[in-house]
Amino acid sequence: MSESPTGPLRDELIRLLQAYATESARLAGEFSAANGLHTTDLHALIAVLNADGRGEPLTAGRLGAHLGLSSGATTALVDRMERHGYVQRVRDTVDRRRVVLTYGEEAARIGREFFGPLGADMDALLTGFTVDELGAVERFLAGVVDMVGDRRRS
């Protein structure tokens, strides 16, 4: 295991992460504004999409806990998103008593329209890296996500 970077390299990594966070927040703001969403709506859409992708759809309660919302605020959020076609409430296929949220067709459409070009740009960027380099980047970014999430929760 190598030593942790200090000095200029550490400082540059932090600067780049800050720049990424700023650009990402700006892009999220533009997407939200272009589609009449609140920032919380966008975070909810991402959470529902990621849960769907893992095959573990969210209940409204789990979504609210993830976002730090009260049950009333979560209900209002889900109602608003369902009215716009961004999410759907469906019966769980395993436990029919449970209602889960799935990504709606309108969310998929606006996501493809807005973020499709970004996905193509990401594909082009990734071609410049080896599998080993991407593995290191993955470990680093996963660590950053965990570190920032732990700090936010403390």
Side-chain angles (χ1 to χ4, degrees):
M1 186 103 181
S2 61
E3 291 183 34
S4 295
T6 58
L9 178 56
R10 175 194 175 277
D11 294 346
E12 181 61 7
L13 289 172
I14 290 170
R15 187 195 69 73
L16 288 168
L17 286 170
Q18 290 168 337
Y20 168 75
T22 299
E23 288 301 325
S24 181
R26 287 178 178 162
L27 184 63
E30 288 177 15
F31 174 78
S32 296
N35 292 286
L37 297 170
H38 301 151
T39 303
T40 304
D41 297 353
L42 177 58
H43 293 182
L45 280 175
I46 291 168
V48 170
L49 175 65
N50 288 337
D52 272 355
R54 289 188 312 269
E56 303 169 358
L58 291 176
T59 62
R62 282 183 48 215
L63 175 63
H66 174 75
L67 296 173
L69 298 176
S70 68
S71 62
T74 300
T75 298
L77 167 74
V78 173
D79 287 348
R80 181 174 63 246
M81 291 176 55
E82 191 174 40
R83 271 194 312 276
H84 289 93
Y86 297 142
V87 300
Q88 298 171 323
R89 290 176 170 108
V90 298
R91 293 266 174 219
D92 189 345
T93 56
V94 175
D95 181 353
R96 300 284 302 154
R97 296 169 297 175
R98 194 169 87 129
V99 175
V100 296
L101 303 172
T102 62
Y103 208 61
E105 184 52 41
E106 183 61 12
R109 184 192 68 74
I110 64 173
R112 278 189 309 271
E113 202 172 272
F114 192 87
F115 292 106
L118 185 62
D121 292 345
M122 178 62 82
D123 291 343
L125 176 64
L126 292 176
T127 63
F129 293 88
T130 67
V131 171
D132 288 343
E133 288 173 327
L134 291 174
V137 171
E138 179 185 26
R139 285 191 315 278
F140 175 75
L141 290 176
V144 168
V145 169
D146 289 345
M147 176 192 68
V148 171
D150 289 347
R151 177 60 48 202
R152 179 181 51 81
R153 289 184 289 275
S154 66

